[in-house]
Amino acid sequence: MATVHLRIGDLVWGKLGRYPPWPGKVVSPPKDLKKPRGKKCHFVKFFGTEDHAWIKVEQLKPYHPHKEEMIKINKGKRFQQAVDAVEDFLKKKEKQGGKEQSSEGKGDSKGKKTPTKPLKILEEDDEDLSALKDPSEKDLTDSEPSSVERLGGLGTTGPVSGFKWESSPASSMEPISKRLKIVEEDTRSTSIQAADSTAINGSITPTDKRIGFLGLGLMGSGIVSNLLKMGHVVTVWNRTVEKCDLFIQEGARLGRTPAEVVSMCDITFSCVSDPKAARDLVLGPSGVLQGIRPGKCYVEMSTVDPETITELSQVISSRGGRFLEAPVAGSQQVSNEGMLVILAAGDRTVYEDCSSCFQAMGKTSFFLGEVGNAARMMLILNMVQGSFMATIAEGLTLAQATGQSQHTFLDILSQGQMASTFVDQKCQNILQGNFKPDYYLKHIQKDLRLAISMGDTANHPTPMAAAANEVYKRAKALDQSDNDMSAVYRAYIH
């Protein structure tokens, strides 16, 4: 899309971080407010609020050409009030012959200057969404949801398919709030999806059940943080107790052992590294099983094999407990943003009891039926992702070996059908030599190994996964286990 040149006074649609597109006007910033470094952006005042923000140029679209599209996908009361404010502004401007009157710093009838209100400046990573809410207005949790589902993933559908916002790690098409939406499919899977709404994030009503969480690694930490932000009562445990300190400061309670957490809570989640860790957590000394009583719920979120899941389900059920598996697709960043995809199977009533928790931690969840189905689906997804990552690394190194620019390779890739946030982020990190873990290399190799084993059990060939697995094993031999999965690149250059 050609670059749109904007000037002071132009009406726009502005996209800021996790907020939905909102009508605004390009205005002059206060003299003492510095422009963010390294960003081409404009200072925007949002209609219907007292909010202002620096918005990147790729997150700005002209108001009039896209008005109908935006009105189709946003039906909330606050949004409609903002659009009405734009129309009132245009009518007043027309009456004034196209000239705009500014009330800021304007003198009163006696010639004295009227003091201006301090500006409310929103930041792209601002977690306090109350800034977009009129203090005099009641909570709008009953405002009408959008007529379309959240725009996300690899593309968009519906009336806005031609209206694309540039994506960035901190700026996804996430609405201001998440609202539960149940979608029944012919496959009997159920998707709990977060639908658009202009209410505040607080519209997620946290369950009154006491929540426990075991395991504060890359994924678990983000999940617990979001559970706490959404108002859940959470008790945490981690093998390395120091990792609990931050969450205690955020309001979590501390459990001394897994058994104690389970005995204190109604629903206990766990998220650990591999099948052995999952078994030890349940069956080991002071483990989960010792705290299980009739009616207690246990939700296994670790990515493990179907056999391990079946075993854990049986032992939990033998004590009268209720079991659900719920592995998650995503990464540390996605977990922190509360945008995981949750795959669940097992006790359907536990799944329903976890609805507010799943809304807090993810954008979508699927119920896949009997125990073991979620483990199978998760391994297939990670098998594809791991194989794809190895192929991308192979392409980058082959480009270098044949005298081609790796940067140009990435530029071309990002303009084609394989373009995605995943590809862009991983390739950029490789080119920058940044292998800080977002998803551990050792864990994706474990998932590949388990997927290959699952294929053997089903007598189904997995030659692509097997080849990728060997590359990851070589990367592990080069001490890349605790780096990001993208460090598989180093297996090709050593």
Side-chain angles (χ1 to χ4, degrees):
M1 180 180 289
T3 303
V4 178
H5 297 284
L6 298 170
R7 298 176 298 178
I8 300 296
D10 285 351
L11 299 180
V12 295
W13 294 100
K15 177 79 179 66
L16 177 66
R18 302 179 75 170
Y19 303 125
W22 204 262
K25 181 177 67 169
V26 179
V27 297
S28 298
K31 292 181 180 179
D32 58 347
L33 186 64
K34 293 183 179 180
K35 189 174 184 179
R37 285 186 175 184
K39 296 180 181 179
K40 292 183 179 180
C41 51
H42 291 286
F43 195 64
V44 174
K45 179 185 185 303
F46 293 106
F47 283 92
T49 76
E50 293 297 324
D51 302 321
H52 297 69
W54 287 106
I55 308 291
K56 297 176 185 177
V57 292
E58 60 266 27
Q59 303 296 345
L60 291 169
K61 306 294 180 185
Y63 178 80
H64 292 289
H66 300 287
K67 176 182 172 182
E68 289 187 10
E69 293 172 281
M70 290 295 98
I71 290 177
K72 284 181 182 178
I73 65 168
N74 288 287
K75 300 290 185 180
K77 180 180 176 183
R78 290 300 303 277
F79 176 82
Q80 187 56 55
Q81 290 174 344
V83 173
D84 290 344
V86 177
E87 298 306 312
D88 289 343
F89 167 79
L90 290 172
K91 288 177 182 177
K92 290 178 182 178
K93 187 175 179 181
E94 187 177 353
K95 287 180 180 179
Q96 295 164 4
K99 294 183 179 180
E100 194 177 324
Q101 278 191 339
S102 173
S103 60
E104 296 185 5
K106 189 176 179 180
D108 61 15
S109 58
K110 296 183 180 179
K112 296 180 181 179
K113 279 197 172 182
T114 305
T116 59
K117 292 182 180 180
L119 296 184
K120 292 168 64 178
I121 311 297
L122 297 181
E123 299 291 341
E124 189 170 13
D125 56 355
D126 194 349
E127 292 293 338
D128 180 11
L129 303 182
S130 61
L132 281 181
K133 184 176 181 180
D134 187 340
S136 65
E137 186 174 53
K138 294 180 180 179
D139 191 11
L140 297 175
T141 54
D142 292 327
S143 60
E144 184 180 353
S146 168
S147 58
V148 298
E149 295 176 0
R150 176 209 309 275
L151 304 178
L154 297 177
T156 61
T157 58
V160 292
S161 58
F163 188 89
K164 295 184 178 180
W165 297 87
E166 296 296 325
S167 61
S168 66
S171 180
S172 60
M173 286 298 292
E174 181 180 1
I176 288 181
S177 76
K178 302 177 185 178
R179 180 169 296 186
L180 195 62
K181 183 172 183 179
I182 306 294
V183 180
E184 292 287 352
E185 301 178 358
D186 293 337
T187 59
R188 283 190 166 183
S189 75
T190 301
S191 170
I192 293 184
Q193 297 181 328
D196 281 348
S197 166
T198 55
I200 303 303
N201 260 354
S203 63
I204 297 177
T205 302
T207 179
D208 57 3
K209 297 183 183 298
R210 296 163 297 177
I211 304 301
F213 205 95
L214 312 174
L216 300 174
L218 290 183
M219 307 295 278
S221 293
I223 291 171
V224 171
S225 181
N226 283 307
L227 287 172
L228 290 169
K229 286 175 185 175
M230 293 301 115
H232 295 83
V233 176
V234 185
T235 300
V236 297
W237 174 89
N238 192 71
R239 185 176 55 184
T240 307
V241 71
E242 289 77 16
K243 284 191 175 182
C244 298
D245 292 344
L246 175 63
F247 302 100
I248 302 303
Q249 294 172 16
E250 293 181 3
R253 302 170 183 178
L254 178 64
R256 292 174 296 179
T257 65
E260 182 178 84
V261 173
V262 173
S263 64
M264 293 169 59
C265 299
D266 302 303
I267 303 173
T268 300
F269 296 85
S270 72
C271 188
V272 293
S273 58
D274 55 33
K276 182 181 185 304
R279 284 194 184 94
D280 290 347
L281 194 62
V282 173
L283 304 172
S286 300
V288 167
L289 197 59
Q290 294 184 23
I292 290 291
R293 299 291 183 272
K296 295 283 187 181
C297 301
Y298 187 63
V299 183
E300 180 59 81
M301 304 192 78
S302 313
T303 300
V304 298
D305 55 281
E307 292 75 19
T308 296
I309 282 294
T310 300
E311 178 186 354
L312 296 181
S313 174
Q314 290 173 348
V315 297
I316 295 295
S317 299
S318 71
R319 295 288 182 91
R322 299 158 62 203
F323 183 85
L324 184 76
E325 59 168 326
V328 292
S331 61
Q332 181 184 33
Q333 178 180 312
V334 173
S335 177
N336 291 341
E337 294 173 348
M339 296 292 284
L340 294 167
V341 175
I342 301 139
L343 311 181
D347 190 323
R348 177 62 178 264
T349 62
V350 179
Y351 176 71
E352 292 168 352
D353 287 343
C354 292
S355 61
S356 73
C357 297
F358 289 158
Q359 286 182 86
M361 66 180 76
K363 65 176 179 178
T364 310
S365 69
F366 295 88
F367 185 78
L368 303 177
E370 65 183 22
V371 165
N373 283 345
R376 295 181 184 95
M377 186 68 79
M378 190 73 255
L379 289 177
I380 294 168
L381 290 170
N382 282 0
M383 177 190 76
V384 172
Q385 185 180 52
S387 301
F388 183 51
M389 182 69 255
T391 301
I392 292 297
E394 192 170 289
L396 279 167
T397 52
L398 181 59
Q400 186 178 45
T402 56
Q404 306 304 304
S405 165
Q406 292 180 319
H407 290 278
T408 301
F409 169 75
L410 176 55
D411 288 341
I412 296 170
L413 198 62
S414 66
Q415 296 298 317
Q417 291 180 319
M418 289 186 293
S420 68
T421 301
F422 176 83
V423 169
D424 184 63
Q425 289 180 350
K426 295 304 182 187
C427 289
Q428 291 289 358
N429 288 344
I430 288 173
L431 296 181
Q432 294 167 13
N434 173 20
F435 298 105
K436 180 181 177 181
D438 195 38
Y439 193 99
Y440 285 118
L441 183 142
K442 61 185 178 184
H443 289 172
I444 199 70
Q445 189 274 323
K446 174 262 298 182
D447 296 342
L448 281 163
R449 173 174 55 81
L450 294 177
I452 293 166
S453 176
M454 185 171 70
D456 290 342
T457 301
N459 196 29
H460 183 81
T462 52
M464 303 299 292
N469 187 46
E470 293 304 315
V471 183
Y472 282 98
K473 285 165 64 177
R474 172 166 171 73
K476 286 178 67 177
L478 295 169
D479 295 325
Q480 300 302 310
S481 291
D482 292 325
N483 281 333
D484 186 70
M485 69 164 75
S486 55
V488 68
Y489 173 83
R490 289 178 167 168
Y492 288 96
I493 60 176
H494 288 87

